Amino acid sequence: MSQKHKMSYGSNRFSLEPEQNLGSCCFLQNENLDYYSSSDNSSHATYPSAHTLEQYCTLESSTKNSFPSLNPPSTVSFSPNNSPVPKLQSKSNESSSQNSLEIINDSLENESCLTHNDNELRHKIRELESAMLGHDADILDIYDIDTIIPEESDSFLLEAERWKRMMEMMSRGDLKEMLCTCAKAVAGNDMETTEWLMSELRKMVSVSGNPIQRLGAYMLEALVARLASSGSTIYKALKCKEPTGTELLSHMHLLYEICPYLKFGYMSANGAIAEAMKEESEVHIIDFQINQGIQWVSLIQALAGRPGGPPKIRITGFDDSTSAYARGGGLAIVGERLSTLAQSCNVPFEFHAVGAAPTEVELKDLELQPGEAIAVNFAMMLHHVPDESVDSQNHRDRLLRLASCLSPKIVTLVEQESNTNNLPFFPRFVETMNYYLAVFESIDVALPREHKERINVEQHCLAREIVNLIACEGAERVERHELLKKWRSRFTMAGFTPYPLNSFVNCSIKNLQQSYQGHYTLEERDGALCLGWMNQVLVTSCAWR
């Protein structure tokens, strides 16, 4: 659709194509006005132009008064005194002049007939307009066919055709199509179309509807937030009350239980670490986003039962503001919980909290000790680290190079399989919609649509990501996902090589996938595991050394 032409809601417009089929008239309406277009590419009848009609009228009136003056050329002879003497033409010339006059008379009669037919055609057009429009036909007077400038007529036709397609889209009721059209209008700064589509979309979306209706509600609010430049104020944009820390923690735990995505990532990473550390007596795990520390519960329990006894485990954890808010305190809470668990399992344990952000961390912050085998864990966090497109320091690659300097036994990566990092706004909108629609569909199988907790999970755990992806730009946009092939490129450039997951880990993940209802898919792709919903891969997990 063209973004260059705009039609005012406060006016009524009619456009009549110079060449078109009279039987093909399309009238597009909304609440306040009628948009008119008449176009059919299959057949065309030519309407006379205003200039031509003026010629016809001039000629027709001239026949009633006088004919154009006819002055046949004279022959000239000379008298004996050499003076020029005019002489009439011969009879043949007179006959020729008479014939010419008859031809002209016939021509004028034909043109007069043409004019009559033309006027009749114009009259028929007017009758057709009146029959189809009723009283509204009066508004067409201001767009009289004689006064329409060809360039303006073309512009009106393009605009009418655009709105015709818009109405056809509305009649189909395809919410995905309407959301994309609205986003495209936002991208093109077409505020008239944007506002109209937003008003229509509000009638179609619902946080308690089917998956696309629920997702559409949050995507619509994200578009509103983008226009208002309030994307960073996520809860204000979503018009919902921010939960308490305890409530948010409850929502996050429910999402962890009802969908296998986080469990899949944690289990595959832990399996790779356990395999790499099976001969080590001292293990140092560096977790660059530890969240609530739930990932390490199963690993501590697994290492406790290792033949020959468990190793000494030391975990270095980095915090993030959302997790800190949810737990209601700093990393000391996480360390205390994990220490209590390790003690109950008779596993020597030490916890080290780092106050620096991953973008600010330096080698000395890690407090490495001689003799320990190092595992680095990047679980659902690297996409939050800005790369070269945001910051010239390229913290994303810098962090990978730092990890490489540690000479780790293993590095685990778990990431969402989505391409949103460097995409322009509109393709990023489409990518976000396709990705999160699959997530919402999978939740739909796990919890009833009217379930209050389901609404809370989607609103407080997923909608914040959606708003950030759509409403924010630059440094404010922290959700910057990349595809597995891009992560491979980054890890390879940092000096890592792939560490294939063993068959035991793959089998455990397969059992996990089968324990959930729905259309979950699991495939191995070049040494990485990919968990998806139907044909949409959602999470990938791989290991490096």
Side-chain angles (χ1 to χ4, degrees):
M1 282 187 246
S2 171
Q3 299 294 332
K4 296 181 180 178
H5 307 284
K6 297 183 180 178
M7 185 173 289
S8 172
Y9 284 134
S11 64
N12 296 279
R13 297 188 180 182
F14 172 76
S15 58
L16 187 57
E17 190 173 6
E19 295 184 4
Q20 62 182 349
N21 188 333
L22 290 179
S24 174
C25 296
C26 175
F27 298 89
L28 308 179
Q29 300 179 348
N30 70 0
E31 297 174 309
N32 303 320
L33 76 163
D34 298 337
Y35 295 99
Y36 310 103
S37 74
S38 176
S39 121
D40 188 338
N41 294 328
S42 61
S43 60
H44 297 278
T46 304
Y47 296 157
S49 67
H51 178 67
T52 307
L53 289 176
E54 289 176 359
Q55 286 182 326
Y56 288 165
C57 293
T58 302
L59 289 172
E60 186 177 16
S61 61
S62 68
T63 60
K64 296 179 182 179
N65 300 318
S66 61
F67 294 105
S69 175
L70 300 174
N71 295 315
S74 300
T75 59
V76 180
S77 63
F78 290 85
S79 65
N81 60 1
N82 290 328
S83 62
V85 178
K87 212 176 195 183
L88 292 177
Q89 285 181 311
S90 65
K91 286 186 178 181
S92 63
N93 286 341
E94 293 175 1
S95 174
S96 175
S97 298
Q98 183 66 31
N99 291 339
S100 298
L101 187 59
E102 290 174 358
I103 290 171
I104 291 173
N105 273 312
D106 289 341
S107 175
L108 291 172
E109 289 176 1
N110 290 337
E111 290 179 338
S112 177
C113 180
L114 239 171
T115 305
H116 175 72
N117 291 340
D118 209 41
N119 287 336
E120 183 177 358
L121 177 61
R122 290 158 55 84
H123 180 66
K124 291 295 184 184
I125 294 173
R126 186 64 182 180
E127 287 183 341
L128 179 61
E129 292 166 355
S130 299
M132 299 184 72
L133 297 175
H135 296 298
D136 291 339
D138 293 338
I139 66 174
L140 302 182
D141 290 338
I142 62 174
Y143 297 112
D144 185 79
I145 192 171
D146 290 345
T147 62
I148 292 179
I149 300 172
E151 291 80 2
E152 293 182 357
S153 177
D154 291 342
S155 175
F156 294 158
L157 285 169
L158 288 171
E159 191 66 22
E161 180 63 25
R162 186 170 75 90
W163 282 97
K164 175 185 175 182
R165 288 197 291 267
M166 202 85 74
M167 293 299 115
E168 290 173 347
M169 176 186 67
M170 290 289 297
S171 67
R172 289 192 292 270
D174 189 330
L175 188 51
K176 284 183 68 175
E177 184 181 15
M178 288 186 64
L179 285 166
C180 286
T181 304
C182 187
K184 198 166 188 179
V186 171
N189 200 31
D190 182 356
M191 291 301 99
E192 193 169 64
T193 303
T194 297
E195 291 170 7
W196 179 70
L197 280 173
M198 282 182 171
S199 67
E200 295 299 317
L201 283 167
R202 290 197 184 282
K203 305 170 188 175
M204 303 172 67
V205 300
S206 169
V207 295
S208 59
N210 61 35
I212 186 58
Q213 288 175 324
R214 304 198 310 268
L215 174 61
Y218 300 121
M219 299 199 79
L220 177 58
E221 291 301 333
L223 289 175
V224 172
R226 182 180 180 87
L227 292 178
S229 299
S230 63
S232 57
T233 314
I234 292 174
Y235 288 106
K236 180 180 178 182
L238 290 174
K239 299 178 181 177
C240 62
K241 181 182 177 182
E242 185 173 357
T244 65
T246 303
E247 289 171 339
L248 180 57
L249 186 61
S250 173
H251 304 331
M252 294 167 68
H253 181 73
L254 182 60
L255 180 62
Y256 177 82
E257 291 297 331
I258 64 175
C259 293
Y261 308 122
L262 287 174
K263 283 185 179 179
F264 159 78
Y266 291 165
M267 184 180 291
S268 57
N270 287 353
I273 293 173
E275 171 68 18
M277 301 295 181
K278 60 185 178 182
E279 303 294 337
E280 301 296 334
S281 59
E282 293 187 24
V283 176
H284 184 182
I285 300 171
I286 301 172
D287 189 347
F288 279 97
Q289 187 170 303
I290 199 167
N291 295 317
Q292 309 306 324
I294 194 172
Q295 175 178 353
W296 307 119
V297 172
S298 61
L299 181 63
I300 291 173
Q301 292 171 338
L303 292 178
R306 192 178 73 173
K312 175 187 175 182
I313 301 176
R314 182 165 177 257
I315 295 180
T316 294
F318 288 78
D319 206 0
D320 66 284
S321 57
T322 301
S323 298
Y325 175 77
R327 81 174 74 94
L331 285 178
I333 298 174
V334 176
E336 193 174 314
R337 291 172 182 165
L338 292 178
S339 296
T340 301
L341 172 68
Q343 187 176 359
S344 67
C345 297
N346 295 317
V347 174
F349 183 81
E350 182 181 338
F351 185 81
H352 173 224
V354 179
T359 54
E360 303 168 348
V361 66
E362 297 180 8
L363 190 60
K364 61 182 178 59
D365 297 321
L366 303 177
E367 297 185 5
L368 303 180
Q369 298 176 3
E372 60 184 13
I374 296 173
V376 178
N377 186 57
F378 294 117
M380 300 288 196
M381 67 79 54
L382 271 180
H383 69 270
H384 288 150
V385 179
D387 71 344
E388 65 277 8
S389 65
V390 182
D391 192 313
S392 59
Q393 296 185 49
N394 190 3
H395 292 290
R396 188 170 295 189
D397 287 341
R398 187 189 72 83
L399 199 57
L400 292 181
R401 289 194 297 270
L402 175 64
S404 180
C405 290
L406 305 178
S407 300
K409 290 276 292 187
I410 189 167
V411 177
T412 52
L413 173 71
V414 180
E415 274 296 344
Q416 294 165 255
E417 183 71 354
S418 182
N419 181 25
T420 61
N421 185 25
N422 295 317
L423 282 183
F425 165 68
F426 180 68
R428 187 169 76 242
F429 180 93
V430 175
E431 177 82 1
T432 300
M433 180 171 64
N434 291 335
Y435 183 90
Y436 283 92
L437 180 57
V439 176
F440 275 62
E441 286 176 348
S442 67
I443 293 175
D444 207 49
V445 174
L447 290 176
R449 292 180 184 174
E450 66 279 2
H451 199 293
K452 182 180 178 181
E453 285 305 306
R454 180 200 53 74
I455 296 176
N456 287 331
V457 166
E458 292 174 347
Q459 192 173 69
H460 297 295
C461 298
L462 300 176
R464 61 165 58 239
E465 297 177 4
I466 294 167
V467 171
N468 187 262
L469 281 162
I470 294 171
C472 299
E473 295 293 347
E476 283 192 341
R477 183 161 67 85
V478 297
E479 301 292 339
R480 293 180 169 273
H481 312 97
E482 292 184 318
L483 298 175
L484 177 61
K485 61 181 180 181
K486 180 62 177 178
W487 292 119
R488 286 185 184 280
S489 174
R490 290 190 185 276
F491 272 78
T492 301
M493 289 179 62
F496 291 106
T497 57
Y499 185 105
L501 301 177
N502 65 28
S503 57
F504 175 75
V505 174
N506 293 349
C507 183
S508 300
I509 299 298
K510 186 69 176 177
N511 292 336
L512 172 69
Q513 176 234 335
Q514 292 175 347
S515 68
Y516 283 84
Q517 291 183 326
H519 304 285
Y520 290 104
T521 60
L522 182 67
E523 63 173 313
E524 184 178 354
R525 190 185 298 172
D526 299 326
L529 285 177
C530 304
L531 180 68
W533 176 265
M534 299 183 72
N535 60 344
Q536 177 77 47
V537 177
L538 297 175
V539 182
T540 58
S541 178
C542 57
W544 301 81
R545 58 186 170 192

